[in-house]
Amino acid sequence: MTGRLYLDTAAAAPVRREALEAAWPYLAGAFGNPSSHHEFGRGPAEALADARARVAKVLGMRATDITFTSGGTEADNLAIIGMALGHQTQGRALGRAQTQGRAGTAMPPRRHIVTSPIEHEAVLASVEFLTRVHGFTVTEVAPTSDGTVTPEALTAAIRPDTVLVSVGYANNEIGTVADVPTLAGIAHEAGALFHTDAVQAAGWLPLTGLGVDALSLAGHKVGAPKGIGVAAIRARVPVEPLIHGGGQESGRRSGTENVALAVAFATALELAEADRHEAADRVRAIRDEFISTVLSHVPGSFLTGAAGTAGPDGRATRTPNHASFCFSNTSGEAVLLELERLGATASSGSACAVGSDEPSHVLTALGVAPEVAQTSVRFTFPSSITPDQGRAAARAVISAAESLASSFA
């Protein structure tokens, strides 16, 4: 990081050296196609199978549940669109079998999806595609002011024809953590599938015991290179593929697999999980001091997302490395530029919305006025941050706000 304070790991975490070293053999000597039935393909095929099994172990799932993708966006698309359309295809197949006198019970048509308005753009765009092209209907559950989807609100939104619920595990802009096991249980009681975007949770929150049918991950959030992700979808769930061809990835995603990045992903995910408890506790303490210092020294600032670090049941309500603010007396973009000058790098929100001058859809959905939402700044700490670096980051924020105060008085 060349001496700078890098506070934007929600966009991309530093690549782990171990992940690069694990990937290198499959970029050089072991270059064969894993689908080739000769000696040059056998090594890559074995490495791919091993990577799949290692990822499954971290998630508490089976190797057959793991589909490697190009990243979190494709993983969200495959899980949401694939499961929704797969359910329709299965229902039609059972209906034909029943008509022809074969065993099978026709599934009732389920063409309703439940999500929330604060999901990642990849989730919202996937749902929008299903409504626009395939005639699905959607209900967006209104979150609380801190970004929480409550069990009561989800229960009220689910209908008899709900096929899928998608609620993110940890929000990428405000850091709020959803009670995924409870929400998934509600969906299952109604006969609906449940998907969660867990991209921001990996390395910070538990990934097992969630009770979901599908979750999405991205390699560049846990220390793998960009361009690799995972759609972990239970093998029993029918999935309509989005990419057609040779039937790789158990028919769920065709195309020659990127063995090197799959191996890098498995390595980085294992390391992130092994470090998770220690890193979460240590970084949470640094982050809490950072939040307290900024709020007490920057007039007009307020925290967005869940304020507490843990709920009454001990469950985390905010990811340990995340702090997001609105600076209502200044401009978020101006704060970022001043921070850059001072040697600290943060962001104004989702990296997927780069170039947009629109206020955050997450913050406006929480009731923040558009002009205030445009003052937002997100700080997401690396697992390697030290207490001194956390304090230096707070001083940089205070200095930036003070130097800009007169300009926006």
Side-chain angles (χ1 to χ4, degrees):
M1 292 188 289
T2 62
R4 296 184 63 84
L5 289 170
Y6 180 70
L7 310 173
D8 195 21
T9 56
V15 177
R16 294 175 182 262
R17 182 181 181 87
E18 299 94 332
L20 293 176
E21 291 175 344
W24 177 248
Y26 305 98
L27 293 170
F31 59 84
N33 189 318
S35 296
S36 297
H37 298 290
H38 51 59
E39 63 174 310
F40 287 93
R42 279 193 290 273
E46 290 170 0
L48 184 66
D50 179 65
R52 198 183 310 279
R54 291 159 61 195
V55 171
K57 184 177 181 180
V58 172
L59 301 181
M61 301 177 76
R62 298 179 178 180
T64 51
D65 300 335
I66 306 303
T67 300
F68 288 109
T69 68
S70 62
T73 291
E74 186 190 341
D76 281 338
N77 276 253
L78 178 59
I80 294 169
I81 299 172
M83 289 198 300
L85 295 184
H87 185 276
Q88 308 303 303
T89 301
Q90 183 187 61
R92 288 193 294 269
L94 287 175
R96 287 193 298 270
Q98 188 179 54
T99 300
Q100 295 167 11
R102 297 198 299 272
T105 302
M107 299 172 66
R110 286 176 173 257
R111 301 180 63 79
H112 176 244
I113 298 173
V114 177
T115 188
S116 86
I118 64 170
E119 301 302 314
H120 189 277
E121 290 88 346
V123 170
L124 296 178
S126 295
V127 172
E128 190 276 334
F129 171 81
L130 287 168
T131 62
R132 174 171 51 85
V133 177
H134 293 281
F136 284 72
T137 58
V138 60
T139 296
E140 291 189 346
V141 181
T144 62
S145 60
D146 67 1
T148 300
V149 173
T150 67
E152 296 76 15
L154 179 60
T155 299
I158 292 178
R159 310 187 321 207
D161 63 336
T162 301
V163 62
L164 174 67
V165 176
S166 182
V167 176
Y169 191 5
N171 188 275
N172 67 309
E173 290 195 34
I174 59 174
T176 298
V177 177
D179 184 359
V180 168
T182 297
L183 300 181
I186 292 170
H188 291 156
E189 286 180 9
L193 299 167
F194 191 94
H195 162 260
T196 190
D197 181 321
V199 165
Q200 296 294 340
W204 298 108
L205 302 172
L207 295 177
T208 59
L210 299 178
V212 301
D213 300 289
L215 63 82
S216 306
L217 297 173
H220 64 286
K221 312 300 186 181
V222 294
K226 290 173 282 294
I228 186 70
V230 159
I233 308 172
R234 304 289 182 187
R236 59 176 169 75
V237 178
V239 174
E240 184 69 25
L242 307 184
I243 300 175
H244 303 271
Q248 290 90 342
E249 295 295 290
S250 300
R252 289 182 166 181
R253 185 191 190 266
S254 291
T256 300
E257 298 94 339
N258 192 327
V259 178
L261 290 193
V263 171
F265 181 94
T267 302
L269 184 65
E270 285 177 332
L271 291 170
E273 177 61 19
D275 296 341
R276 177 170 61 83
H277 290 290
E278 184 277 332
D281 289 344
R282 178 172 45 77
V283 175
R284 183 185 293 111
I286 295 170
R287 188 277 316 274
D288 286 350
E289 181 182 347
F290 172 80
I291 289 175
S292 177
T293 302
V294 170
L295 291 178
S296 61
H297 288 82
V298 180
S301 64
F302 64 90
L303 191 71
T304 61
T309 58
D313 58 356
R315 183 182 60 83
T317 58
R318 189 184 192 100
T319 47
N321 67 324
H322 191 291
S324 54
F325 305 89
C326 282
F327 297 100
S328 53
N329 291 339
T330 182
S331 156
E333 194 64 30
V335 171
L336 289 174
L337 291 173
E338 185 65 11
L339 285 173
E340 281 279 336
R341 189 184 69 80
L342 295 170
T345 300
S347 70
S348 58
S350 174
C352 296
V354 66
S356 172
D357 58 1
E358 293 297 316
S360 161
H361 73 278
V362 173
L363 295 180
T364 54
L366 300 184
V368 178
E371 62 274 16
V372 177
Q374 287 183 314
T375 73
S376 66
V377 178
R378 177 186 71 182
F379 303 89
T380 45
F381 297 163
S383 60
S384 61
I385 194 167
T386 65
D388 284 346
Q389 288 173 328
R391 295 180 190 113
R395 289 195 298 271
V397 173
I398 294 167
S399 177
E402 289 176 345
S403 66
L404 294 168
S406 60
S407 301
F408 294 90

